[in-house]
Amino acid sequence: MEDQRRTPSSSSSATILVVDDESPIVSLCKAMLEGAGHTVLGANGSSEALQICTHHEGPIDLLLTDLVLPPPGFQLASPSNQFPHVNGLELAIRATMIRKGLQIILMSGNADKDLASHGIKRGTLPFLAKPFERDRLIALVHNVLAQPAPTLGVEDRPRAANDTDWFG
């Protein structure tokens, strides 16, 4: 896939992919971000988000995703299932491998518990605690878009001492 990213400034319009398993959250974020002049793509889960990352023909500048995205059932990624249901951190890792230069913001309603349970140290990735106000969301989005994109890949994945690398 050809690299279709752009580098928006904090004052220009960006294309933002919002992902949450609760459609009212996606709708709320979409309304707030479109009101600030951004183009918003919405996904009700990681599988749909990965499909959008792969097939959307225009740029996607930022992924705003819930950290906790419960799957509808147990799934494994395989050649026959390239769009598995995964948590928000795994979605961010996979999305940045599909879309180079993609910015990331994670969000959650229980910040300390959810970050710790995914092995993420506070401050390593931009984070938005739910519930949030419009001004906080817009300010964080503009701040993140003004920064260089993170290099978030398999090598950056938080690991436990006994983790096995399942990716060749």
Side-chain angles (χ1 to χ4, degrees):
M1 173 179 254
E2 161 185 330
D3 188 5
Q4 299 175 10
R5 70 187 159 113
R6 62 182 170 174
T7 309
S9 71
S10 61
S11 62
S12 70
S13 175
T15 299
I16 302 170
L17 175 55
V18 177
V19 185
D20 201 296
D21 57 311
E22 297 181 41
S23 56
I25 299 290
V26 174
S27 298
L28 177 65
C29 290
K30 184 173 180 162
M32 291 177 175
L33 293 166
E34 285 178 345
H38 299 291
T39 301
V40 180
L41 307 170
N44 290 317
S46 58
S47 180
E48 186 179 342
L50 289 168
Q51 290 176 48
I52 291 170
C53 284
T54 301
H55 300 297
H56 180 70
E57 293 191 14
I60 301 175
D61 302 301
L62 184 136
L63 171 68
L64 171 62
T65 184
D66 191 16
L67 183 55
V68 179
L69 294 171
F74 181 74
Q75 294 186 339
L76 292 175
S78 69
S80 63
N81 183 17
Q82 68 183 61
F83 307 117
H85 292 278
V86 293
N87 67 50
L89 178 60
E90 181 68 24
L91 170 60
I93 291 168
R94 290 171 184 261
T96 57
M97 291 174 12
I98 296 167
R99 295 274 177 163
K100 302 299 181 211
L102 182 68
Q103 296 283 25
I104 305 296
I105 298 175
L106 298 174
M107 60 181 166
S108 176
N110 192 343
D112 293 328
K113 178 182 173 241
D114 291 340
L115 288 171
S117 70
H118 287 85
I120 303 169
K121 288 183 188 175
R122 226 182 225 285
T124 56
L125 286 171
F127 186 81
L128 182 65
K130 295 182 199 173
F132 51 84
E133 295 177 1
R134 178 192 179 280
D135 292 344
R136 173 73 179 119
L137 171 64
I138 302 303
L140 182 59
V141 165
H142 287 179
N143 183 37
V144 169
L145 288 171
Q147 303 299 316
T151 54
L152 184 65
V154 174
E155 66 279 359
D156 298 321
R157 183 186 314 243
R159 299 175 66 91
N162 62 348
D163 256 0
T164 302
D165 190 358
W166 293 98
F167 303 96

